[in-house]
Amino acid sequence: MDSNNDKPAPLNAEFWQQRYEAGQIGWDMGQVSPPIKAYIDQLPDSAKSLKIMMAGAGHAYEAGYLFEQGFKEVTVFDIAQAPLDSFAKRHPDFPKQQLILADFFELSPEDYRFDLAIEQTFLCAINPAMRPDYVKQMHSLLKPRAKLVGLLFDRDFGKPMPPFGGDEAEYRQLFAPYFDIEVMQRCHNSHPARQGSELFIILRRKP
């Protein structure tokens, strides 16, 4: 999101920059999410050439882990500079040109096309009214039959600020027009702080 009048406020770059500077990211686990780590660990060596996107990445622990495991074509996007700077300090060997300050919704498929996208607390950070736009944009940035893999909150936070929750029925309806839902199920290996509140997804982009 940005600060344009046609985008929901106050979830813009300034908002998120201030949140990161103040350390007010309460759902940040400080580590790679266990279900996503398990998914990465079972990928074959042949997958290490995949072009991988992590948008709205925050501290992007999963992107760092992918890079450490030999996945070199990982691109990290965020609307705020602070988490990108933090990532660069933690991973000094990560290519700086693959750390991109940008609004996900303004990325062009003419410039970016990926084989795999990792979803980890990005959907929950945007205004729920923009979720259909998220799905359409994710579809446009993925190659045909590419995958969107990650986690969605399966709970209602009951407040008008992020994180925003949801449930399986809502997500299935949201994604079905653009993705084949291969896996959408309650996680059995969530971080202790998220037990019983996450869905693991593997969604394949429709042609």
Side-chain angles (χ1 to χ4, degrees), residues 49-52 113-117 142-143 145-147:
S49 62
L50 294 176
K51 292 179 67 65
I52 302 174
R113 295 299 293 277
F114 296 94
D115 302 297
L116 173 65
L142 289 173
K143 299 175 185 177
R145 308 307 292 164
K147 291 181 179 180

Side-chain angles (χ1 to χ4, degrees), residues 47-74:
K48 292 184 178 177
S49 62
L50 294 176
K51 292 179 67 65
I52 302 174
M53 167 178 65
M54 191 166 184
H59 288 303
Y61 304 109
E62 292 75 19
Y65 184 71
L66 280 162
F67 188 73
E68 291 168 354
Q69 303 309 305
F71 295 82
K72 301 305 182 185
E73 297 296 321
V74 180

Side-chain angles (χ1 to χ4, degrees), residues 167-177 181 183-185:
D167 58 44
E168 182 175 349
E170 173 192 346
Y171 297 137
R172 285 185 177 274
Q173 182 177 12
L174 180 69
F175 284 104
I181 300 172
V183 176
M184 184 177 289
Q185 62 190 28

Side-chain angles (χ1 to χ4, degrees), residues 69-102:
Q69 303 309 305
F71 295 82
K72 301 305 182 185
E73 297 296 321
V74 180
T75 303
V76 176
F77 299 94
D78 204 276
I79 198 171
Q81 188 66 50
L84 296 174
D85 291 343
S86 175
F87 183 95
K89 289 179 181 178
R90 299 196 314 274
H91 302 280
D93 296 331
F94 192 91
K96 299 299 185 291
Q97 69 272 19
Q98 291 166 222
L99 289 174
I100 299 176
L101 179 69

Side-chain angles (χ1 to χ4, degrees), residues 17-207:
Q17 180 72 12
Q18 291 175 352
R19 288 284 289 261
Y20 280 104
E21 290 177 352
Q24 295 176 343
I25 307 295
W27 63 90
D28 188 307
M29 295 181 293
Q31 65 177 71
V32 180
S33 175
I36 298 178
K37 180 180 182 297
Y39 176 82
I40 294 168
D41 289 345
Q42 58 82 48
L43 290 173
D45 285 343
S46 60
K48 292 184 178 177
S49 62
L50 294 176
K51 292 179 67 65
I52 302 174
M53 167 178 65
M54 191 166 184
H59 288 303
Y61 304 109
E62 292 75 19
Y65 184 71
L66 280 162
F67 188 73
E68 291 168 354
Q69 303 309 305
F71 295 82
K72 301 305 182 185
E73 297 296 321
V74 180
T75 303
V76 176
F77 299 94
D78 204 276
I79 198 171
Q81 188 66 50
L84 296 174
D85 291 343
S86 175
F87 183 95
K89 289 179 181 178
R90 299 196 314 274
H91 302 280
D93 296 331
F94 192 91
K96 299 299 185 291
Q97 69 272 19
Q98 291 166 222
L99 289 174
I100 299 176
L101 179 69
D103 183 336
F104 167 77
F105 295 96
E106 296 179 358
L107 299 177
S108 170
E110 295 180 0
D111 298 325
Y112 301 105
R113 295 299 293 277
F114 296 94
D115 302 297
L116 173 65
I118 300 296
E119 164 58 45
Q120 163 65 331
T121 65
F122 179 34
L123 186 68
C124 76
I126 64 175
N127 189 299
M130 296 182 70
R131 288 181 174 181
D133 295 328
Y134 165 99
V135 175
K136 292 175 186 177
Q137 177 70 334
M138 193 64 74
H139 181 272
S140 73
L141 296 173
L142 289 173
K143 299 175 185 177
R145 308 307 292 164
K147 291 181 179 180
L148 171 61
V149 175
L151 298 166
L152 303 174
F153 276 122
D154 186 25
R155 58 169 293 188
D156 180 6
F157 290 93
K159 58 187 182 68
M161 294 293 285
F164 302 106
D167 58 44
E168 182 175 349
E170 173 192 346
Y171 297 137
R172 285 185 177 274
Q173 182 177 12
L174 180 69
F175 284 104
Y178 293 91
F179 289 85
D180 291 323
I181 300 172
E182 296 188 352
V183 176
M184 184 177 289
Q185 62 190 28
R186 182 65 65 88
C187 289
H188 63 84
N189 55 348
S190 295
H191 184 278
R194 296 189 182 173
Q195 285 291 335
S197 64
E198 289 183 314
L199 295 170
F200 182 71
I201 59 168
I202 300 177
L203 311 180
R204 191 178 293 273
R205 180 197 189 275
K206 290 184 177 180

